Amino acid sequence: MKRREFLTLSLASATLLVSGCGDSSSSGNSMVSSSSSNSSSSNNSSSSSSPNFSSRLAIPPLLEGESISGVLHFDLSIQEGKRSFFEGTSTNTFGVNGSFLGPTLKMKNGDAVSINYTNNLNEPTTMHGHGMHLPAVMDGGVHQVIQAGETWSAQYTVKQKACTNWYHPHLMGKTAEHVYKGIAGLMILEDEESVNLDIPKTYGVDDIPLVLQDRFFDADMELDYSPNTMQIMRGYIGDTFLTNGVVNAFVDVQAKEIRFRILNGSNSTVYNLGFKDGRSFKQIATDNSFLESPVDLNRVTLSPGERAEIVVDMSNLENETIYLKDFFQGKDFLKINVKALEIAQTKTPESLASLKKYTIADALNSRRFTLSGSMRSFYINGVSMDKSVINEKIPVNQVEVWEVKNQMGVNHNFHIHATHFLLIERNGKTSNVADNEKGYKDTVYIPPNESVKIMVKMSDYTDKSNPYMYHCHFLEHEDAGMMGQFTVI
């Protein structure tokens, strides 16, 4: 539960936040050693409160759309609800087709889709397809507002590789609150490569979605979204973990390879994920694609909005229990009970996908973006988000190198709408890019006073009037102005 703390942000502490002397966060390399100073407990330690993991993990319903005249229709209701997060309590929430979070939408490359969002709230919202490659008017950003009682449809043809994306609100100044209350859901995209791989793919059985979040609850067990200035700066990091909207969740799996599609769905928390016993796993996919080959890890770091697909071999763990843990906070997300095998084994291959990659020589332009701020205001290149201003104009099909530098002493990341990019440098060196960051991405973690270079190409869609967004995906930072707009011409 949230402890009320009355904090005064002095000039000295504000200077620390901006200058970078106040945070010793680890590098953005997604492979973090088990001796990381951010880990508050060892591989074999228990959560400090030793919770009883007695609530079954909720698996979001899978919607594959209704085909009408060759178009897959997905009908989604954005609505108020009530959810019992703790025994004997009822919490007011938002959700999609339910009380908290929403269904998983499944589609494949080449599908024509219409995702029909009806706003049954008493206030406006928007719905953004995070990671989706689509026209600007279908992006669901700050300009595609859905008024209370109205329906808005995102209509487009899927044109991208297999990946795990998600949908969430993107209302100007209200994104953080709406996500916090429960509006979000996953999108699974398949293609010819993915359906032919010998990997776990039975949804909810050996292919399990995990939306990881954290929340504060007040004394009445209501969701407490009331960040103070320090929490807006450093992150509104809740003290209660949710996995698919469940507190202290457990899941029963079979003794075989298990695939977890992991979304960091938090507002502003960076998770360093692994298994409590230190066992290794294979990362097979990043935000927007499979990796070309699996990467062996025992930790993966995800900032808000980032996704990772991992496969862990549990074939020799029948009747045993393991825990998925965040090593930064030293707490467990999920208890995993391994049961007898009932379906066919899989064997993840050494070759997963072929990715088209560009080189520096292919780039025709470069751009620089600096992330800065103070107190409750945040900036990209010295300016805060203005809906009436187009900050950049990007030529279609032009390969560019974007350098993004975090000039602050707090964590940030960088998300670009409607495209994927390749991470090519961290802090000026290609060698700082970890193997598990070498798939297509749409969001990249940038720790304090660090920088990245990414290879970007906007393709297929042009629109001189309707913009896309780029922004920090720490939602309090985004709402406080760390966002810009670009058109593709």
Side-chain angles (χ1 to χ4, degrees):
M1 306 312 125
K2 186 173 182 180
R3 296 188 299 266
R4 294 293 181 181
E5 299 177 276
F6 295 91
L7 301 175
T8 300
L9 185 60
S10 67
L11 179 59
S13 63
T15 301
L16 288 176
L17 288 169
V18 178
S19 69
C21 300
D23 197 317
S24 58
S25 181
S26 67
S27 83
N29 188 316
S30 290
M31 261 189 303
V32 180
S33 71
S34 60
S35 61
S36 167
S37 62
N38 286 293
S39 176
S40 61
S41 56
S42 68
N43 282 351
N44 296 313
S45 65
S46 298
S47 299
S48 58
S49 58
S50 299
N52 178 18
F53 284 80
S54 59
S55 298
R56 185 173 295 277
L57 180 71
I59 302 296
L62 183 67
L63 302 186
E64 299 189 60
E66 179 185 2
S67 183
I68 303 174
S69 302
V71 177
L72 286 179
H73 284 257
F74 299 85
D75 295 325
L76 301 179
S77 170
I78 308 163
Q79 60 196 48
E80 296 179 354
K82 289 184 179 293
R83 168 66 67 92
S84 178
F85 293 100
F86 308 96
E87 185 176 358
T89 68
S90 180
T91 300
N92 292 301
T93 57
F94 289 172
V96 180
N97 289 13
S99 61
F100 192 82
L101 300 180
T104 298
L105 314 184
K106 186 176 182 180
M107 56 197 74
K108 65 180 184 298
N109 189 35
D111 283 345
V113 301
S114 179
I115 307 176
N116 312 309
Y117 298 102
T118 299
N119 180 7
N120 289 307
L121 304 176
N122 293 317
E123 58 184 280
T125 191
T126 72
M127 290 299 282
H128 167 56
H130 183 126
M132 298 304 296
H133 177 54
L134 36 60
V137 292
M138 299 299 165
D139 187 45
V142 301
H143 296 280
Q144 289 83 47
V145 176
I146 315 170
Q147 298 295 337
E150 293 185 352
T151 297
W152 175 76
S153 297
Q155 300 175 332
Y156 53 91
T157 298
V158 179
K159 295 182 180 181
Q160 60 192 110
K161 298 183 77 66
C163 60
T164 302
N165 290 337
W166 62 304
Y167 57 90
H168 64 79
H170 213 298
L171 187 65
M172 185 85 167
K174 295 280 283 187
T175 298
E177 181 181 342
H178 283 185
V179 171
Y180 204 84
K181 289 182 175 180
I183 307 176
L186 292 174
M187 306 173 80
I188 291 177
L189 280 63
E190 302 284 10
D191 63 13
E192 287 301 315
E193 285 182 318
S194 69
V195 298
N196 289 308
L197 290 174
D198 187 20
I199 58 176
K201 54 173 72 87
T202 304
Y203 182 80
V205 178
D206 64 358
D207 182 356
I208 298 174
L210 298 179
V211 180
L212 305 183
Q213 299 173 308
D214 50 80
R215 297 291 186 267
F216 285 121
F217 292 84
D218 66 18
D220 297 320
M221 297 298 112
E222 296 292 349
L223 289 166
D224 186 344
Y225 187 72
S226 57
N228 58 37
T229 298
M230 183 67 82
Q231 289 166 326
I232 290 173
M233 292 292 290
R234 288 191 173 272
Y236 197 59
I237 300 172
D239 57 9
T240 302
F241 278 0
L242 303 181
T243 308
N244 294 353
V246 178
V247 178
N248 297 337
F250 76 88
V251 64
D252 295 336
V253 301
Q254 298 180 28
K256 65 177 303 293
E257 286 188 331
I258 301 296
R259 175 186 187 180
F260 293 109
R261 299 176 185 259
I262 304 174
L263 162 68
N264 182 337
S266 74
N267 278 38
S268 54
T269 308
V270 179
Y271 300 131
N272 179 222
L273 301 168
F275 295 95
K276 186 186 291 188
D277 62 1
R279 70 179 50 251
S280 64
F281 53 85
K282 296 180 184 295
Q283 184 172 345
I284 62 170
T286 50
D287 300 335
N288 279 137
S289 76
F290 283 99
L291 293 159
E292 291 183 314
S293 300
V295 176
D296 291 320
L297 301 170
N298 60 17
R299 303 281 185 85
V300 60
T301 297
L302 296 177
S303 65
E306 288 188 291
R307 287 89 68 205
E309 295 183 33
I310 67 171
V311 172
V312 55
D313 186 359
M314 303 191 189
S315 57
N316 63 346
L317 293 180
E318 186 174 338
N319 297 321
E320 295 188 29
T321 295
I322 63 174
Y323 291 83
L324 179 67
K325 177 176 181 175
D326 170 33
F327 284 84
F328 280 169
Q329 296 196 54
K331 297 197 298 185
D332 301 327
F333 264 108
L334 181 67
K335 178 181 179 180
I336 303 165
N337 301 316
V338 185
K339 306 295 185 180
L341 179 66
E342 296 179 5
I343 63 175
Q345 287 279 10
T346 55
K347 184 173 176 57
T348 298
E350 286 304 308
S351 179
L352 296 169
S354 57
L355 302 180
K356 184 174 184 178
K357 295 185 176 181
Y358 299 99
T359 68
I360 292 290
D362 297 313
L364 298 179
N365 190 34
S366 62
R367 300 173 195 264
R368 291 185 176 182
F369 301 86
T370 59
L371 312 181
S372 61
S374 61
M375 303 299 285
R376 287 177 174 260
S377 297
F378 291 85
Y379 315 103
I380 298 180
N381 289 345
V383 296
S384 288
M385 170 68 174
D386 183 337
K387 288 176 63 175
S388 66
V389 173
I390 304 300
N391 304 94
E392 305 284 341
K393 295 180 180 180
I394 315 295
V396 69
N397 295 323
Q398 177 168 285
V399 178
E400 300 191 350
V401 173
W402 292 14
E403 181 177 14
V404 188
K405 180 172 178 55
N406 177 2
Q407 292 187 331
M408 299 182 68
V410 296
N411 287 316
H412 289 304
N413 62 17
F414 196 76
H415 168 55
I416 307 175
H417 285 208
T419 192
H420 63 257
F421 54 76
L422 287 166
L423 178 60
I424 59 173
E425 285 185 12
R426 278 192 177 277
N427 301 321
K429 294 183 179 180
T430 58
S431 60
N432 288 336
V433 178
D435 288 342
N436 67 315
E437 295 183 298
K438 293 179 179 178
Y440 294 163
K441 292 182 63 58
D442 58 57
T443 307
V444 60
Y445 175 41
I446 314 175
N449 297 305
E450 296 196 10
S451 65
V452 298
K453 281 186 180 178
I454 56 179
M455 195 81 72
V456 181
K457 180 183 177 182
M458 300 301 301
S459 60
D460 295 320
Y461 305 112
T462 61
D463 192 326
K464 295 181 179 179
S465 302
N466 295 288
Y468 298 109
M469 264 60 69
Y470 53 80
H471 57 87
C472 178
H473 215 282
F474 286 66
L475 299 184
E476 285 71 35
H477 299 172
E478 171 187 334
D479 281 349
M482 191 170 276
M483 181 160 56
Q485 300 190 111
F486 68 96
T487 53
V488 180
I489 57 177

